[in-house]
Amino acid sequence: MAKTRSAYFCQSCGYESAKWLGKCPACQQWNTFVEEVLERGNAKVPTWRSEGGSRVLSKPSKVTDIESIEERRMPTSDAELDRVLGGGLVAGSMVLIGGEPGIGKSTLMLQIALNMRHRKVLYVSGEESEQQIKMRAERIRNKDGADCYILTETATQNIFKQLETLEPDVVVIDSIQTLHSAHIDSTPGSISQVRECTAELLRFAKETGVPVILIGHITKDGSIAGPKILEHMVDTVLQFEGDRHHVYRILRSIKNRFGATSELGIYEMQGSGLREISNPSEILLSQREEELSGIAIASTLEGARPMLIETQALVSVSAYGTPQRSATGFDTRRMNMLLAVLEKRCGFRLSIKDVFLNIAGGIKVEDPAIDLAVVVAAISSHEDIPVSGKNCFAAEVGLSGEIRAVSRIEQRIAEADKLGFERIFISRYNLKGVDTARFKLRIEAIGKIEEAFTILFG
C-alpha cells in the first residue's frame, strides 16, 4: 500500500521544505509555511490521456539537422493583443495574464473569445456562473456571433472530458487559482494545486497544439499569485495594468518565448467593453482652446511604442512652513532632484514653493526622457508663462544641468512630426546619425537647461 506523501510550502514565494520552518530561507517571511499533500496512497485518477499509448523516446539531434519551421500564428481579432504577443497566438502555446482585481482581465478575455471569427473557443470559468457571463457578453455587445462555448467547472478531470468532446481551437481558463486536480489533496489556489493544474493544461496544449490562455490572480505586492515556477512553465506572461479610477489600461509583456517583450497594448475601458487605442498620443493630449502655464508635452517610449503625453506642473507659494512635494504618475524623488537642479544651476528659488506634478491620463512614466518637459512645466508655472502647445520635449536632465541624450530619438521625433508639432527640443548629442531633413518640424538641439529657457521664455 502506497504511503501518503506531503511537504511544506511557503505561501509567499513557493519554497518547498520537507519540514515546517518558522522563517522562509528564500523570501525571509515569517509563519508562511503550510503542509500540503503531494500524493495520496492508492490514488489512481485519470489525467490528460494518461492511459494512452507508450511514449516515444526522444533522440538527440544536431542543430544543423533540425529543420526551421515558421510558427503558425492565430490572429485574435484584437490588434493590441496581437501586437503584444508578436503577431497572434502560437499553436500549443500557453499564455498567462495577470492583473489587479476589477482591472478588466475577464472582460478582455471574454471579448476576445466572442470576437474570434471562424474559431471554436471554450471559455472555462471557475468564478462566475453562466448567467453572469451571459450578462457581460450582452454588455460587450458582440455582433460577430462567434462560436464561443461557456463551461463553469473547476475540476480539471471534468474539463479534459469536455475538451475531448468539443475539440476547441482556443481555451481560456478563468482563473487558474480556482481549478483543482484530484491528484492533489489540498484546497484550490494552493501552491501544489496551481502547479499541478498548470502542468496538466501544459501537457494538453503541447500534445494537441491548442493555445491555452490562463487568467491569474496577483498578490498585494503586484506579482502573480502562486509559485514562481508558474511563470517559468508558461510561454508568455502578460501584465494588465492601470488604475481603476481611470479609463486607460496597459497590456504589457513580461515574458514572451515567441516575440519581443518591448511591445505593449493600450485600451480604454468603456461601458461596452475595452476599446483598442491605435494612437494613444491623440487621447493622452488634451484639446485646449487657450494656452495655459505649467503644461509641457513630452515624447516618451512605453516599451517600443512612442507616444506623447502631457506633463502638468503647479508651483505656488507655500501656505505652511514646510513646502509640499507631490507627483502623480512620476517618481517623487526624481522630481525633487530636478527641482534641486533648477535651484542650484538656474537660480530659481523653488525650495520655498509648493510643487505638484501630474502626468495626464492616469499613466505612470519611468522614462527619463520626460525630464526636460518636467522642468519646463515647473518653470512655466513658476513664472506664469505658457508654453506653446506646438512644442515638444525629449531629453534627460543631468545633475549639472546638462541635457543628456536619450534612446530611439528618431522614433520620438517621427511621432511628434506625425501629430503636427512644429518644434521639438532634444539633446545636441542625439543629432549624430539622425536625418533631420526628412522631418517637417524644427529640431532644437540644446546642451543646457538655460538654452531651452532662453528660447522659450526669453
Side-chain angles (χ1 to χ4, degrees):
M1 181 175 179
K3 294 183 178 180
T4 300
R5 190 167 64 91
S6 63
Y8 292 86
F9 292 90
C10 172
Q11 296 297 298
S12 178
C13 66
Y15 182 84
E16 181 179 356
S17 174
K19 62 180 181 179
W20 185 87
L21 299 175
K23 182 180 181 181
C24 177
C27 64
Q28 307 300 319
Q29 298 294 320
W30 289 89
N31 299 324
T32 57
F33 277 88
V34 294
E35 183 180 10
E36 294 183 5
V37 177
L38 300 180
E39 184 179 352
R40 292 184 298 178
N42 292 337
K44 288 188 177 182
V45 182
T47 60
W48 167 249
R49 293 180 178 174
S50 59
E51 303 299 329
S54 59
R55 182 181 174 185
V56 179
L57 297 178
S58 301
K59 296 182 179 180
S61 302
K62 280 187 177 182
V63 175
T64 55
D65 296 338
I66 301 175
E67 296 182 3
S68 298
I69 301 176
E70 187 177 355
E71 299 144 346
R72 294 182 290 112
R73 297 279 182 171
M74 182 186 301
T76 63
S77 74
D78 189 305
E80 296 299 302
L81 179 61
D82 289 344
R83 179 205 302 271
V84 177
L85 293 176
L89 291 170
V90 177
S93 63
M94 180 172 285
V95 180
L96 174 65
I97 175 172
E100 294 183 359
I103 204 69
K105 303 184 298 297
S106 300
T107 301
L108 176 63
M109 290 298 104
L110 181 60
Q111 186 171 308
I112 291 171
L114 292 172
N115 292 332
M116 290 192 71
R117 300 178 181 178
H118 313 297
R119 300 287 184 182
K120 189 185 296 183
V121 183
L122 177 61
Y123 187 93
V124 182
S125 177
E127 299 179 343
E128 297 176 302
S129 63
E130 293 181 351
Q131 289 74 21
Q132 290 175 308
I133 301 174
K134 175 65 175 178
M135 291 172 59
R136 178 182 288 123
E138 291 178 348
R139 177 171 58 86
I140 294 174
R141 300 173 187 172
N142 171 64
K143 298 180 181 179
D144 293 335
D147 201 4
C148 179
Y149 295 82
I150 305 298
L151 174 64
T152 55
E153 182 61 69
T154 57
T156 57
Q157 283 70 33
N158 297 336
I159 293 174
F160 289 137
K161 290 180 182 178
Q162 301 301 325
L163 289 174
E164 289 187 275
T165 304
L166 185 63
E167 296 183 353
D169 298 316
V170 181
V171 178
V172 179
I173 305 294
D174 184 14
S175 63
I176 186 61
Q177 277 81 13
T178 60
L179 300 188
H180 67 88
S181 173
H183 293 277
I184 305 296
D185 190 15
S186 59
T187 58
S190 61
I191 290 176
S192 56
Q193 280 286 5
V194 171
R195 183 174 57 240
E196 180 63 25
C197 293
T198 304
E200 293 180 6
L201 290 169
L202 183 63
R203 287 194 293 269
F204 162 77
K206 300 305 179 183
E207 291 180 14
T208 62
V210 176
V212 178
I213 303 177
L214 307 178
I215 297 178
H217 299 165
I218 64 171
T219 63
K220 61 181 180 180
D221 299 329
S223 58
I224 297 178
K228 197 66 177 177
I229 194 176
L230 175 63
E231 300 180 36
H232 293 282
M233 294 171 67
V234 300
D235 299 307
T236 305
V237 180
L238 305 180
Q239 187 78 16
F240 206 38
E241 304 173 355
D243 192 342
R244 287 182 293 176
H245 302 291
H246 292 83
V247 296
Y248 302 114
R249 304 287 188 268
I250 295 179
L251 184 64
R252 196 186 305 273
S253 175
I254 301 176
K255 170 190 174 183
N256 193 355
R257 288 175 178 164
F258 308 109
T261 57
S262 58
E263 292 289 351
L264 81 160
I266 303 178
Y267 298 86
E268 181 182 6
M269 177 64 78
Q270 297 180 341
S272 58
L274 290 161
R275 184 177 73 87
E276 306 167 28
I277 299 179
S278 58
N279 190 359
S281 300
E282 295 181 353
I283 296 180
L284 296 176
L285 297 178
S286 62
Q287 304 298 325
R288 305 185 307 273
E289 296 181 356
E290 59 179 352
E291 302 292 347
L292 302 174
S293 62
I295 296 177
I297 308 300
S299 179
T300 182
L301 280 175
E302 278 290 342
R305 195 171 188 179
M307 59 183 182
L308 301 181
I309 59 174
E310 187 175 289
T311 305
Q312 302 173 347
L314 177 62
V315 180
S316 61
V317 178
S318 178
Y320 305 98
T322 304
Q324 300 182 62
R325 297 284 190 269
S326 177
T328 303
F330 190 72
D331 189 4
T332 306
R333 293 174 298 180
R334 189 166 188 86
M335 182 190 70
N336 291 332
M337 182 197 74
L338 295 175
L339 296 177
V341 171
L342 289 177
E343 182 151 358
K344 176 71 174 180
R345 305 298 179 184
C346 303
F348 293 101
R349 298 194 61 189
L350 300 176
S351 59
I352 59 175
K353 300 291 184 70
D354 291 339
V355 180
F356 304 94
L357 182 67
N358 178 50
I359 305 298
I363 66 173
K364 297 180 180 180
V365 182
E366 298 178 355
D367 188 4
I370 74 169
D371 286 354
L372 185 56
V374 170
V375 298
V376 168
I379 298 306
S380 173
S381 177
H382 180 266
E383 300 295 331
D384 201 17
I385 302 176
V387 178
S388 174
K390 297 297 183 180
N391 292 328
C392 178
F393 305 89
E396 181 183 354
V397 177
L399 290 179
S400 60
E402 80 276 11
I403 304 299
R404 302 177 61 87
V406 295
S407 62
R408 299 179 184 174
I409 191 63
E410 291 194 36
Q411 291 180 263
R412 304 174 193 265
I413 299 175
E415 181 72 10
D417 193 18
K418 182 179 68 175
L419 294 178
F421 282 81
E422 297 177 355
R423 185 165 56 177
I424 183 171
F425 289 77
I426 66 172
S427 171
R428 65 176 57 165
Y429 305 105
N430 263 134
L431 282 178
K432 185 178 180 180
V434 177
D435 184 12
T436 59
R438 65 188 184 95
F439 301 113
K440 296 180 181 178
L441 80 171
R442 181 180 176 185
I443 300 177
E444 296 283 356
I446 56 178
K448 293 185 178 181
I449 304 179
E450 296 89 334
E451 298 178 28
F453 295 158
T454 303
I455 297 173
L456 293 171
F457 309 121

